[in-house]
Amino acid sequence: MVEVSPSIISSDLSHLADEVLKCEEAGAGSFHLDVMDGHFVNNITMGPDLIRSIRKSTDLRLDAHLMIDRPDKYYKSFIDAGADVLLIHYESPVNTMELIKRLEHDNIRYGIVINPETEFEKVKVFLDNAEILLIMSVNPGFSGQKFIGDSLIKVSEAREFIKRNNLKARIEIDGGINDETGKLAVNAGADILVSASFIFKNGIYNPIKKLRDL
Ligand code: DX5
Ligand code: ZN
């Protein structure tokens, strides 16, 4: 079954624990935490403290999507707050291989993220021990944007590469996902669907069910 990972930033944060519970009841498989620092993207969202609150409300896996300039400087604080997997952008202005080595040394689970303009080719070298390859289907920064169809080509390419090389990385897609675009992504080979507006603007339960059943 497809794993659905609701992006918590679009939930009703004044009722965070309830929103998390509703997602669990609908069958969410993990939670997606969009961390933005106002430098890497033109928006500011949550930091470790909010993640700590979410951690208290769920045992599901928490993926921290780090849209920040200095993941090398801050990664530990997200783990300490309770994140399980760190999603690291290839485009962050740090040495990706060095950062990965540090994460592996510290036994921290991670995934690699690529923006719409980044070719899949660029990140093949980082996938040996990655748990997730996150393919962005919008330019990061805001929820509610339109799905970029070309990202599906990358999903197929990645599916093929992961299969051929017997890698464990699961393919995740993030941005503009609803029941239609989600179906296209699953058909192209995606394992995990991130969604914010589609889920939280449509009452949580039905949209999560629809995405799971794709
Ligand atoms: C975009 C974030 C996404 C976003 C998804 O920068 O990484 O996770 O919240 O929002 P929707 O599903 O509304 O496109
Ligand atoms: Zn995200």
Side-chain angles (χ1 to χ4, degrees):
M1 200 175 264
V2 180
E3 180 179 315
V4 181
S5 195
S7 164
I8 281 297
I9 198 66
S10 296
S11 69
D12 177 356
L13 294 175
S14 64
H15 295 99
L16 185 55
D18 291 343
E19 298 279 274
V20 166
L21 184 64
K22 280 186 200 160
C23 290
E24 282 194 6
E25 284 170 355
S30 58
F31 287 100
H32 183 88
L33 313 173
D34 283 313
V35 177
M36 307 187 192
D37 67 352
H39 292 280
F40 184 71
V41 290
N42 293 320
N43 198 2
I44 299 178
T45 54
M46 66 176 86
D49 288 339
L50 189 69
I51 294 182
R52 201 166 280 115
S53 302
I54 299 167
R55 179 77 287 168
K56 286 182 191 151
S57 309
T58 182
D59 290 328
L60 290 182
R61 197 183 76 246
L62 298 182
D63 296 343
H65 179 189
L66 300 182
M67 289 164 273
I68 62 179
D69 264 357
R70 296 294 308 271
D72 57 324
K73 187 172 174 189
Y74 294 107
Y75 71 87
K76 275 208 177 83
S77 59
F78 294 100
I79 293 295
D80 291 344
D84 297 299
V85 176
L86 301 182
L87 300 174
I88 304 290
H89 266 272
Y90 166 76
E91 299 84 2
S92 286
V94 300
N95 184 316
T96 308
M97 197 51 102
E98 259 171 39
L99 177 55
I100 285 180
K101 292 261 156 62
R102 278 169 65 188
L103 297 175
E104 288 177 0
H105 175 265
D106 294 349
N107 276 320
I108 293 173
R109 298 160 66 188
Y110 64 89
I112 301 293
V113 192
I114 46 173
N115 278 341
E117 79 275 8
T118 302
E119 290 161 14
F120 169 63
E121 188 72 29
K122 294 269 196 300
V123 291
K124 285 180 175 169
V125 62
F126 305 117
L127 294 181
D128 284 356
N129 301 309
E131 289 201 24
I132 291 173
L133 168 67
L134 172 53
I135 295 174
M136 293 304 297
S137 40
V138 298
N139 287 304
F142 298 89
S143 347
Q145 302 182 72
K146 194 174 172 298
F147 181 79
I148 298 173
D150 280 358
S151 54
L152 295 170
I153 301 167
K154 268 191 266 182
V155 173
S156 315
E157 230 182 309
R159 178 83 283 153
E160 164 102 31
F161 178 81
I162 286 170
K163 196 173 164 200
R164 196 166 359 107
N165 293 280
N166 243 322
L167 300 176
K168 67 172 176 188
R170 292 197 296 155
I171 300 174
E172 180 171 50
I173 189 156
D174 180 11
I177 293 295
N178 55 37
D179 47 351
E180 280 169 29
T181 54
K183 192 171 177 64
L184 299 174
V186 170
N187 288 342
D191 304 295
I192 311 172
L193 302 176
V194 175
S195 169
S197 4
F198 177 64
I199 291 178
F200 292 103
K201 284 194 176 151
N202 295 295
I204 301 179
Y205 195 85
N206 287 329
I208 290 183
K209 276 262 172 290
K210 274 192 190 159
L211 293 178
R212 271 192 86 189
D213 292 342
L214 288 178

